[in-house]
Amino acid sequence: MEPLSGRKSLTDEVHDRLVDALCSGALPPGTPLRQEALAEELNVSRQPVLQALGLLRRDGLVEPMGRRGYRVAAVDADLVRHVYDLREAFDGLAARLAAHSMASDRESALRAAITQGNHALGSGDTAELVAADVAFHQTIYRLSGNPLLPEASAAVWLQMRRVMHAYLETGASRDPVWTEHEAIADAICAGDGDRAQMLANKHTRNAKIRLISKMKETDHQTN
């Protein structure tokens, strides 16, 4: 990680930098996080590091290690279930509302998000794939017309970025995700709220099943 620029508050900058490192896998689950080492690496005092770690703990991204500081929280089947259960509620609602939206850029925004996803598929780059996936769903949230959805789901999507990265790094199949995304986009553009919600919920459940199955397979291979 590079030294900070000072454009935001130091706490916000430390928080954002750590989130990026956690969600990209640069700081994998179980990694110890020492205040002194982080402060030195980011060229800040310990106070903003301590405050940022407190925010990360609130969002479930790190966990305390007693007097030894913090460590990156695990990505396990329980986390996947909890995160995806919440995401199903958010995604289904957003898709239904977006289908009834009068936004002039509804179709163009969704098609642009699908194009971004197909480009990411072609590149095979994990970071691009995660960014494209998040962008697609955040586009639907925006098109829903409910300004509270992005904020209400923010902690869930922080965890989602970690989960997606860990899953894609295993070399898991990526094609079904964007096929399902296209179907959701088609239903929204057709103004079919019931179908959009059903497909969004099914997409989330399918992703949960794939993730947990892959985790069990990986655990079996390593034990």
Side-chain angles (χ1 to χ4, degrees):
M1 291 184 288
E2 298 176 359
L4 300 175
S5 64
R7 288 188 296 271
K8 299 180 180 179
S9 75
L10 287 178
T11 297
D12 287 343
E13 279 210 73
V14 171
H15 175 267
D16 291 351
R17 191 65 59 83
L18 290 175
V19 164
D20 286 341
L22 291 166
C23 293
S24 70
L27 290 173
T31 302
L33 300 173
R34 312 292 187 193
Q35 293 177 37
E36 296 83 355
L38 290 171
E40 182 177 353
E41 184 175 356
L42 297 172
N43 194 30
V44 296
S45 68
R46 291 176 56 188
Q47 187 62 24
V49 173
L50 179 62
Q51 291 172 339
L53 288 171
L55 294 174
L56 295 173
R57 180 184 180 184
R58 177 201 64 188
D59 291 333
L61 297 174
V62 304
E63 55 192 18
M65 296 176 60
R67 295 183 178 180
R68 294 179 294 171
Y70 292 86
R71 66 182 166 213
V72 181
V75 174
D76 56 22
D78 285 340
L79 174 66
V80 170
R81 289 189 190 94
H82 296 156
V83 169
Y84 273 86
D85 285 347
L86 286 172
R87 182 183 154 185
E88 182 176 341
F90 287 126
D91 283 7
L93 172 62
R96 179 169 59 81
L97 292 175
H100 299 307
S101 167
M102 301 302 292
S104 60
D105 68 333
R106 183 175 68 182
E107 183 162 2
S108 62
L110 287 170
R111 299 309 175 197
I114 294 294
T115 298
Q116 180 185 353
N118 288 331
H119 181 273
L121 274 176
S123 75
D125 181 80
T126 297
E128 284 190 37
L129 284 161
V130 172
D133 200 310
V134 172
F136 173 77
H137 290 286
Q138 292 302 314
T139 297
I140 296 175
Y141 282 28
R142 177 179 67 79
L143 292 172
S144 76
N146 187 329
L148 298 182
L149 263 175
E151 182 178 353
S153 62
V156 170
W157 278 96
L158 286 180
Q159 293 286 11
M160 281 303 313
R161 287 171 60 192
R162 288 208 309 147
V163 169
M164 287 179 183
H165 190 278
Y167 177 65
L168 292 171
E169 282 290 275
T170 67
S173 174
R174 301 162 181 184
D175 293 337
V177 171
W178 286 95
T179 301
E180 292 169 5
H181 283 174
E182 285 200 60
I184 295 167
D186 288 345
I188 291 173
C189 291
D192 191 337
D194 290 341
R195 179 168 174 77
Q197 183 171 16
M198 181 272 291
L199 290 172
N201 289 342
K202 183 178 179 181
H203 169 64
T204 305
R205 289 193 294 269
N206 286 344
K208 178 170 65 174
I209 291 168
R210 286 193 294 265
L211 276 162
I212 293 174
S213 176
K214 188 65 178 179
M215 286 179 170
K216 290 179 178 177
E217 177 186 327
T218 302
D219 289 344
H220 179 73
Q221 291 173 350
T222 56
N223 290 334

